């Protein structure tokens, strides 16, 4: 995208709201150096930053909107259609065996995951992080889908991005679970072998009653609507949910793993 145009829009919005760089940093709880780096083009804006700036400056989603379309094209080809399905969904069921689901990740955690191994760097890394953070807006819109997440306990114990970053990620989980349309369950390590050792998945139910399945693997993922696949994964979901901790017990476990209050 034309980042110079986006920067001009940000500066104009600040000027219109009579907010300085430092003032914006305070309002959105980002560092002044990060705001300065974004406004000088030394760092690419992320969707999380754009959403926070829109809220602080009262721009009605302008800054996020300018980022939205390019970001939809930034992900892998197989994934391009999924955010649209995800946005339309009335129910989402997500199991993750080794990481925090993308819809619940902090930007710090997402950047650590996507940059692992050095496969993505620079602008491509920034764009992929922005795509992931932008998808999270569905959790906070007026008509959000019903979301249920089952996360393997091992994902909560792996210090992605370092202990401090992981602690902040655990804090984000505790915040999101307060939303009335979000349920979170932890699959404890004590379960041992379970029905989906092979990988995670997302089941999406669309308004028309159609269902879609999103699968990911080491090479590429797949979006499918094959009835036999969906029936199998639905059965796996039921088994996983039956073995997972209750939400209250899951919250207790997250609080025990979290270092800072």
């Amino acid at each position: 995208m034309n980042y110079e145009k986006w920067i001009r829009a940000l500066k104009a919005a600040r000027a219109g709201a009579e907010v300085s760089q430092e003032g914006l940093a305070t309002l959105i709880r980002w560092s002044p150096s990060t705001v300065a780096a974004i406004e000088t083009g030394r760092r690419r804006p992320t969707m999380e930053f754009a959403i926070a700036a829109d809220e602080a400056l009262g721009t009605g989603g302008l800054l996020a909107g300018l980022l939205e379309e390019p970001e939809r094209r930034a992900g892998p080809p197989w994934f391009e259609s999924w955010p649209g399905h995800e946005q339309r969904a009335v129910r989402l069921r997500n199991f993750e065996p080794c990481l925090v689901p993308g819809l619940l990740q902090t930007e710090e955690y997402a950047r650590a995951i996507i940059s692992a191994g050095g496969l993505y760097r620079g602008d491509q890394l920034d764009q992929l992080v922005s795509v992931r953070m932008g998808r999270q807006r569905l959790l906070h819109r007026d008509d959000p889908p019903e979301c249920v997440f089952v996360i393997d306990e091992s994902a909560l114990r792996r210090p992605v991005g370092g202990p401090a970053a992981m602690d902040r990620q655990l804090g984000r989980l505790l915040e999101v679970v307060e939303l009335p349309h979000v349920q979170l369950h932890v699959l404890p390590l004590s379960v041992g072998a379970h029905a989906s050792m092979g990988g995670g998945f997302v089941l999406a139910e669309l308004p028309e009653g159609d269902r879609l399945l999103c699968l990911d693997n080491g090479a590429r993922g797949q979006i499918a609507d094959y009835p036999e696949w969906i029936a199998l994964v639905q059965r796996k979901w039921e088994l996983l949910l039956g073995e997972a901790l209750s939400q209250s017990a899951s919250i207790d476990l997250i609080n025990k793993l979290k270092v800072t209050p």
Side-chain angles (χ1 to χ4, degrees):
M1 70 166 294
N2 187 335
Y3 286 105
E4 291 183 1
K5 178 180 178 181
W6 191 92
I7 291 170
R8 289 197 300 271
L10 173 61
K11 290 180 177 179
R14 274 204 306 100
E18 298 183 349
V19 175
S20 65
Q21 277 190 359
E22 292 78 11
L24 178 60
T26 299
L27 288 172
I28 65 177
R29 298 182 180 179
W30 285 53
S31 69
S33 61
T34 297
V35 176
I38 288 174
E39 287 202 354
T40 56
R42 291 182 288 111
R43 179 169 174 176
R44 299 300 189 196
T46 66
M47 184 59 74
E48 186 177 31
F49 180 91
I51 292 171
D54 275 330
E55 293 176 352
L57 300 174
T59 48
L62 171 66
L63 299 173
L66 288 174
L67 283 180
E68 186 175 12
E69 288 303 323
E71 287 182 343
R72 285 180 179 171
R73 298 191 294 269
W78 73 268
F79 191 76
E80 286 181 356
S81 66
W82 180 254
H85 298 312
E86 194 175 55
Q87 291 292 325
R88 294 175 53 229
V90 294
R91 292 183 183 82
L92 293 169
R93 305 288 186 265
N94 190 177
F95 169 65
E96 289 294 347
C98 60
L99 75 163
V100 171
L103 288 177
L104 306 182
Q105 292 176 6
T106 63
E107 181 179 352
E108 191 176 19
Y109 183 100
R111 186 170 294 273
I113 289 289
I114 296 171
S115 64
L119 297 177
Y120 302 104
R121 300 176 183 178
D123 288 351
Q124 187 179 19
L125 171 61
D126 290 339
Q127 289 176 342
L128 290 171
V129 172
S130 292
V131 168
R132 188 161 298 181
M133 305 314 298
R135 289 168 51 212
Q136 297 181 5
R137 285 185 294 170
L138 70 83
L139 295 176
H140 304 283
R141 70 190 190 197
D142 293 337
D143 59 338
E146 175 190 327
C147 299
V148 184
F149 302 92
V150 175
I151 310 174
D152 194 276
E153 182 181 342
S154 62
L156 305 181
R157 293 184 177 275
R158 186 181 301 277
V160 171
M166 192 63 211
D167 198 62
R168 286 186 284 271
Q169 176 60 72
L170 294 175
R172 170 66 62 84
L173 294 180
L174 294 173
E175 292 172 0
V176 175
V177 80
E178 293 294 326
L179 297 173
H181 53 278
V182 173
Q183 295 180 43
L184 176 62
H185 301 274
V186 176
L187 186 68
L189 292 173
S190 59
V191 167
H194 57 75
S196 195
M197 298 290 287
F201 57 81
V202 183
L203 276 168
E205 183 177 330
L206 304 181
E208 302 83 4
D210 295 331
R211 292 189 295 173
L212 287 177
L213 177 63
C214 184
L215 301 169
D216 201 355
N217 59 48
R220 72 183 303 278
Q222 186 172 12
I223 298 171
D225 61 356
Y226 306 125
E228 61 273 23
W229 289 20
I230 291 176
L232 174 61
V233 173
Q234 178 66 37
R235 179 56 179 149
K236 288 187 175 185
W237 170 260
E238 293 168 355
L239 292 169
L240 291 167
L241 194 58
E243 293 183 313
L245 300 175
S246 67
Q247 179 156 293
S248 60
S250 298
I251 292 172
D252 288 344
L253 175 58
I254 294 171
N255 275 309
K256 289 177 181 178
L257 295 175
K258 196 175 186 311
V259 176
T260 59

